[in-house]
Amino acid sequence: MWKYTVKSLFDRKLRLSLTMLAIVLGVAFTVASFVVADSLRATFGKLVDDIEAGVDLTVRTKLDFGESTDRKPVDANLLTPIQAIEGVKAAEGSITGSPVIPLKANGDDVTTTGAPLLGVNYPTNEILSQVIQKDGRAPSGLTEFNLDIDTAKDNDFQIGQTYTVIGPQGRRQFTLVGTFAFNSENNDTVGAVISAFDTATAQDFLDRVGLYDEIDIQVNDGADVAQVQQRVNTLLPNTTEVVDKAVKVEEQRDDFSQFTDIFGTILLVFAAVIVFVSAFIINNTFQIVLGQRVRELGLLRALGASSKQVRRSVLGEAFLIGLTATVVGTLLGVVLGQLVQAALNSTGFGLPDGPTQLRLRTLIAAAIVGIGITMLSALSPAMRTRRLSPIDALQADARLAGAGLGRRIVIGTAVSALGLLLLGLGLFGGFETALLLMCLALGALAAFIGVNLLSPLIAQPVARTLGRSAFGWIFIVLGGLLAVASIGIFIAGIASVVDGKPAGIVLSIIFAPIVAGLAWLSFDGGRGARGLTGRLGRENAARNPRRTASTAAALMIGLALVSMAGVVGESLKKSFLGTLDNAVEADWFIRPANNFDPTASLPQEYTAKLRALPEVDSVVGYRFSFKAIKVNGDEKDLNATDYAPLSRHIDIDVVKGSTDTAPDDGLLVHEDSAKDNNFDVGGKIDVQFGDGQTETLTVAAIYKDATIMGNWVISNAMWNKHFSRQQDQFITLRLKDGTDAVTAKTDIETIGKDYPQAKAEDRVQFKKTQQQQIDFILRLINIFLLLSIIIAFVGIVNTMSLSVFERTRELGLLRAVGTTRQQLGHMIKWEAAIVALLGGLLGIVLGVLFGVAAVAAVPKSFIKTTSIPVGQLITYVIFAGLAGLVAAWFPARRAAKLNVLEAISHS
């Protein structure tokens, strides 16, 4: 039986390839997500070890909670007594400030994609130094600096030339006197830009006069680190601590893990979607294949094979398919992981060299996905062979018995109800994040399975409705529009050559034939909806509702997720843009150009120059930090701003109190947080900051709109007391009444030329930019989800190909009674289009329902408006039908080429 299983499998190579493709992609994405995350984690871990090499102890201020960038500096006067402690071999103060941006010779700023732009003090103690001088010499004096070798090379900085460097306070001229590599000859900066100054200059330029960010210590050989740590600790004030290397390494690894974990989780989520879609396709494939092999399996039973042996043979095929897909998918996943890392490097996020990590848990995950999902998908079809009677199976019209419709309705209803219950608990149960996400994921999974079980109930009437010739005319018109579009693309390509842009003709040569091919398929499929072939295609889709529903299920899931993302994204966009229209009174918005750098801020000098403009009425600065305060023992995200002019810039819809007269020790609280904590205006609240200090703040105002300011707001004056970052991360500017807007714009842009890292936009520009950013995120999500839709189309190709094989004799009879090859092709194409349209409609309905529920669960302070992108959803339906025609092209050609006599004699 095992030899028969292997031979049976490899005798059908096309079916094997189509079945494997879906699960290979699922395994590949699963492996890639683990490989990327593990490789980055290992690479960053090695980098942290190298950075901390030689440093046994670190003196720093205490930070009980919050972001590491909020840690205050230490008194520089501590360095000398620390150096004199018994057991200390070397000690040196370190300074790191950001953003520090060197300007190129042409005045443009050096940019990165996410990596920070740092300013540091050049180390003078070789024992603790991680700097390798490459060219020139170390900086000395108030007008000299060094650059890391990669930044200097990539941006054409020349030693001996004078450049402008912008620091936290403002601009200054420095002469480049040398370049260096950080940590190793390969310059492991992880894409960061590093400017180095001597210590005195760094203290002055980076706003650290008389201060260090940390003091690094190396103990004598053979000295007891713990004893030296204890001696150092006796010298320190209560606000300062000394930690060993293990603590620093663990903290920095955790910081890097925040990025790698998020990145890996995102990939895993999309991999899970792909695997889920693939499971439906594999289950459907095995259902069809076993239906085609009933007589073959019956013959095996007649020859003496037991039902258990037949079942094992079917599961053996599933195991071999899963095993092969796992091996291929794992290899593809490793390659895909390397491509993802290469893509990160190409965007400027230079990763240090490190080995690709393929760990045992990755292989186990690949086996679970590849073998486990395939075996699970094949289990139900395999179990149905138990009821296979040898005598009945040898009949010409033998079929595998399926579960009764009544039983399917009961199970489908129960599973759907469970899914809705879990979704309701996730959306409205108020759980912690991990439990909430688990409820949502399991609820969505159950809902999809339940709808799939129930979908055969509507598959038949919907298929017959969608198969009407009226829908065919829609595709005929679409084909005409696509034909016009293909001509337009070609003409645009010729026009680009005339304009001196020859690349345009290359693109037109590539895309014009593709669009023309889609036009022909749409027009041809639409024609197939009319007359006899249209009716046959309609009846073929309707006569086996289970198969039609199962084939459509994979597409339903993909389009449901895309539609849900569309509803949530459109609602978010409408809400945010509505806030800009109704709640924002400022005329100009200024932010760092690098949105992906969490340390990005605006120089104090730049803000001061804007305030000094005669056209400016007021400037308001905004700051933000995650988990920066504790209220009643709970960590809260925090915003800070200038109270007095705030209401003239942003209307946060104050319901009690006032921001205009709020004192520096006042606290602004969102109404939900105020209600949860029973706060009222005038109440005193003990607020704990990460630096260990507690302030008793007075509730100055309670507000409704948290879209921009979040739930907790303090004054910038209070922020300056407790946080090391003193620069604004965002500012708004309001012009005086009657000011000439054109003159003001010229003056603002003139100042901006000296600070190219600051992006200043008026209301129209800012609104457009925010809309583009939201659209970009949504497009990125849809690109990943598009992979699941592509796999669903592979499922349609697979199902239609197997269906053609199953109906070989029927198709031969149609040809014998006069049906032309073209008519057969029309029939197959229209049948596939109906299946795709069914999946598309079901997916969009579910996606809209899930999207509306998700929007309802999000606080109104974040998403105020529920918006359904009707035009976008209609496009998805048309796209689904067109893609069904594309998926049917190969099966249709195969059906049209059938030999009539051989097809009639097929059994």
Side-chain angles (χ1 to χ4, degrees):
M1 286 298 295
W2 180 249
K3 289 181 180 179
Y4 162 77
T5 299
V6 176
K7 186 176 186 301
S8 172
L9 183 64
F10 287 96
D11 278 349
R12 300 171 175 87
K13 296 181 179 61
L14 178 61
R15 189 186 74 200
L16 172 65
S17 301
L18 290 172
T19 306
M20 278 179 51
L21 180 58
I23 202 66
V24 163
L25 292 175
V27 172
F29 262 84
T30 302
V31 171
S33 61
F34 280 109
V35 166
V36 171
D38 289 339
S39 298
L40 290 177
R41 196 174 289 114
T43 301
F44 284 129
K46 179 180 180 299
L47 177 61
V48 170
D49 289 337
D50 291 341
I51 291 173
E52 296 298 326
V55 178
D56 298 312
L57 299 170
T58 300
V59 175
R60 63 188 188 180
T61 56
K62 294 178 181 178
L63 184 68
D64 296 336
F65 53 88
E67 298 182 83
S68 59
T69 52
D70 292 331
R71 191 184 299 277
K72 284 187 171 182
V74 300
D75 189 345
N77 291 326
L78 291 172
L79 179 60
T80 300
I82 288 174
Q83 290 173 328
I85 290 176
E86 180 185 353
V88 172
K89 182 177 182 180
E92 184 171 29
S94 66
I95 300 171
T96 304
S98 66
V100 175
I101 307 167
L103 302 187
K104 305 174 189 177
N106 62 1
D108 292 340
D109 57 323
V110 173
T111 60
T112 68
T113 306
L117 298 101
L118 304 175
V120 302
N121 63 319
Y122 194 98
T124 57
N125 192 313
E126 294 184 0
I127 296 175
L128 294 168
S129 176
Q130 295 292 325
V131 168
I132 302 170
Q133 192 71 38
K134 301 293 287 186
D135 296 303
R137 58 177 175 81
S140 177
L142 296 176
T143 61
E144 295 182 354
F145 83 121
N146 271 202
L147 267 178
D148 71 272
I149 187 67
D150 289 336
T151 299
K153 180 180 178 181
D154 295 342
N155 297 279
D156 198 27
F157 282 87
Q158 302 295 324
I159 293 177
Q161 298 297 314
T162 299
Y163 298 94
T164 298
V165 181
I166 302 176
Q169 299 179 87
R171 296 163 52 94
R172 190 178 296 183
Q173 298 289 314
F174 291 95
T175 301
L176 182 65
V177 296
T179 60
F180 62 89
F182 179 73
N183 186 53
S184 74
E185 294 288 343
N186 293 327
N187 190 36
D188 295 334
T189 62
V190 198
V193 171
I194 303 180
S195 305
F197 315 86
D198 68 21
T199 296
T201 305
Q203 287 177 319
D204 178 56
F205 184 55
L206 304 179
D207 199 19
R208 290 291 187 269
V209 175
L211 302 168
Y212 294 123
D213 286 300
E214 294 178 342
I215 296 176
D216 297 327
I217 301 171
Q218 186 179 105
V219 304
N220 288 321
D221 297 338
D224 188 305
V225 174
Q227 289 183 359
V228 176
Q229 183 177 7
Q230 187 175 2
R231 293 182 195 128
V232 172
N233 198 48
T234 59
L235 290 176
L236 302 179
N238 292 334
T239 57
T240 310
E241 64 182 359
V242 55
V243 296
D244 60 22
K245 178 180 178 179
V247 172
K248 283 291 297 296
V249 168
E250 185 64 26
E251 288 177 349
Q252 292 187 50
R253 283 182 173 174
D254 288 343
D255 289 341
F256 284 128
S257 292
Q258 291 180 9
F259 166 74
T260 56
D261 290 348
I262 291 173
F263 194 74
T265 300
I266 291 173
L267 288 178
L268 271 178
V269 168
F270 287 116
V273 171
I274 291 172
V275 170
F276 188 47
V277 172
S278 301
F280 279 89
I281 294 173
I282 292 175
N283 179 268
N284 198 33
T285 299
F286 273 94
Q287 297 276 10
I288 296 173
V289 169
L290 289 181
Q292 295 172 352
R293 296 171 56 197
V294 170
R295 296 188 69 193
E296 176 188 334
L297 297 177
L299 183 59
L300 286 175
R301 291 293 312 280
L303 292 175
S306 66
S307 62
K308 183 180 292 186
Q309 286 177 311
V310 172
R311 187 166 65 253
R312 286 176 178 173
S313 173
V314 174
L315 292 175
E317 285 193 28
F319 175 79
L320 288 175
I321 290 173
L323 179 62
T324 307
T326 298
V327 173
V328 176
T330 299
L331 296 175
L332 182 62
V334 173
V335 174
L336 182 60
Q338 292 175 333
L339 290 175
V340 170
Q341 293 188 68
L344 284 175
N345 283 327
S346 68
T347 62
F349 194 85
L351 298 174
D353 294 332
T356 298
Q357 297 288 309
L358 183 61
R359 297 181 178 176
L360 179 61
R361 68 186 179 103
T362 304
L363 297 176
I364 294 174
I368 291 174
V369 170
I371 300 175
I373 297 298
T374 306
M375 294 288 287
L376 189 63
S377 301
L379 184 60
S380 174
M383 295 300 290
R384 288 169 59 189
T385 61
R386 291 182 305 174
R387 298 189 292 271
L388 186 64
S389 166
I391 301 302
D392 293 338
L394 292 175
Q395 302 300 315
D397 58 348
R399 292 288 184 272
L400 279 177
L405 188 59
R407 181 182 173 187
R408 191 182 186 100
I409 293 173
V410 172
I411 296 175
T413 302
V415 173
S416 298
L418 176 62
L420 293 175
L421 176 63
L422 289 171
L423 286 171
L425 288 173
L427 293 173
F428 308 109
F431 298 131
E432 295 293 329
T433 302
L435 185 57
L436 183 148
L437 292 176
M438 182 178 295
C439 284
L440 291 178
L442 293 176
L445 181 67
F448 281 129
I449 294 174
V451 171
N452 179 56
L453 290 172
L454 295 173
S455 57
L457 298 177
I458 64 169
Q460 190 174 78
V462 172
R464 283 176 174 158
T465 301
L466 292 176
R468 301 295 175 185
S469 58
F471 283 89
W473 282 108
I474 294 175
F475 285 93
I476 290 174
V477 173
L478 177 63
L481 294 175
L482 288 172
V484 173
S486 67
I487 296 172
I489 292 172
F490 187 71
I491 293 174
I494 296 174
S496 67
V497 175
V498 176
D499 292 339
K501 299 176 181 178
I505 191 65
V506 177
L507 294 175
S508 69
I509 290 173
I510 294 173
F511 288 106
I514 294 176
V515 176
L518 293 176
W520 178 82
L521 276 173
S522 181
F523 186 81
D524 195 51
R527 283 196 306 152
R530 299 177 298 161
L532 176 64
T533 54
R535 189 176 68 183
L536 288 173
R538 181 169 68 246
E539 293 301 322
N540 283 336
R543 71 177 175 175
N544 195 335
R546 291 186 183 182
R547 176 188 299 174
T548 298
S550 297
T551 306
L555 183 57
M556 171 190 73
I557 295 168
L559 281 178
L561 294 172
V562 172
S563 301
M564 183 177 70
V567 171
V568 174
E570 188 69 16
S571 300
L572 173 63
K573 183 165 64 175
K574 292 284 187 183
S575 298
F576 187 75
L577 296 179
T579 298
L580 292 181
D581 289 334
N582 302 320
V584 178
E585 303 293 336
D587 298 305
W588 282 80
F589 306 84
I590 299 97
R591 57 184 173 83
N594 189 351
N595 293 322
F596 300 101
D597 180 4
T599 66
S601 59
L602 301 168
Q604 297 170 358
E605 182 181 83
Y606 173 65
T607 305
K609 288 184 178 181
L610 289 175
R611 283 196 171 101
L613 286 175
E615 302 93 345
V616 172
D617 173 70
S618 58
V619 173
V620 173
Y622 306 86
R623 302 166 191 178
F624 173 80
S625 184
F626 290 106
K627 300 185 183 300
I629 58 172
K630 280 186 178 180
V631 179
N632 293 335
D634 295 328
E635 295 180 0
K636 309 291 183 183
D637 298 339
L638 181 67
N639 283 270
T641 189
D642 303 309
Y643 284 161
L646 178 63
S647 63
R648 299 195 300 278
H649 289 244
I650 296 176
D651 179 11
I652 59 176
D653 198 1
V654 174
V655 294
K656 281 188 179 181
S658 172
T659 60
D660 296 343
T661 57
D664 288 344
D665 63 350
L667 178 69
L668 313 183
V669 185
H670 184 259
E671 63 176 358
D672 291 342
S673 298
K675 182 179 179 180
D676 293 342
N677 293 276
N678 198 26
F679 293 158
D680 203 352
V681 170
K684 303 292 183 181
I685 302 173
D686 289 335
V687 176
Q688 183 182 349
F689 290 85
D691 61 0
Q693 300 184 48
T694 299
E695 298 274 359
T696 301
L697 305 182
T698 303
V699 178
I702 296 174
Y703 57 94
K704 291 180 65 174
D705 191 346
T707 306
I708 296 177
M709 299 306 300
N711 291 340
W712 303 87
V713 185
I714 62 172
S715 67
N716 280 333
M718 183 60 64
W719 175 284
N720 292 339
K721 290 178 63 176
H722 298 283
F723 297 91
S724 61
R725 291 179 292 162
Q726 307 286 299
Q727 297 78 42
D728 297 321
Q729 294 161 293
F730 180 75
I731 61 177
T732 56
L733 182 151
R734 178 157 180 160
L735 302 175
K736 293 178 180 177
D737 294 339
T739 298
D740 181 64
V742 176
T743 302
K745 180 177 182 179
T746 301
D747 290 346
I748 291 170
E749 291 178 344
T750 299
I751 294 176
K753 291 179 181 178
D754 291 334
Y755 304 90
Q757 84 276 23
K759 188 174 183 62
E761 299 171 315
D762 60 23
R763 291 173 65 91
V764 175
Q765 292 170 328
F766 183 71
K767 182 177 179 179
K768 183 178 179 181
T769 299
Q770 299 307 305
Q771 184 172 345
Q772 288 173 343
Q773 289 180 355
I774 295 174
D775 289 340
F776 171 76
I777 294 172
L778 293 176
R779 282 196 297 270
L780 193 62
I781 293 173
N782 286 337
I783 286 172
F784 277 104
L785 292 177
L786 183 63
L787 292 171
S788 65
I789 297 175
I790 292 173
I791 293 175
F793 293 144
V794 171
I796 295 176
V797 175
N798 198 4
T799 300
M800 297 308 300
S801 297
L802 294 172
S803 177
V804 167
F805 179 80
E806 180 185 36
R807 291 179 285 169
T808 298
R809 191 164 185 269
E810 173 189 323
L811 296 175
L813 288 172
L814 285 174
R815 289 280 288 115
V817 297
T819 305
T820 66
R821 295 179 185 271
Q822 188 179 39
Q823 287 176 319
L824 269 185
H826 284 159
M827 182 186 75
I828 299 297
K829 290 174 189 174
W830 192 237
E831 182 182 348
I834 293 171
V835 172
L837 285 170
L838 173 63
L841 289 173
L842 282 175
I844 286 170
V845 170
L846 283 178
V848 170
L849 292 176
F850 287 164
V852 170
V855 170
V858 175
K860 291 298 182 183
S861 59
F862 190 65
I863 298 182
K864 302 180 181 66
T865 305
T866 301
S867 180
I868 299 175
V870 177
Q872 186 177 341
L873 298 180
I874 292 175
T875 302
Y876 290 159
V877 174
I878 296 174
F879 172 74
L882 182 60
L885 293 173
V886 174
W889 179 79
F890 173 74
R893 281 180 56 85
R894 187 179 180 191
K897 291 182 177 181
L898 287 175
N899 182 284
V900 177
L901 295 178
E902 291 179 359
I904 293 174
S905 62
H906 183 80
S907 60

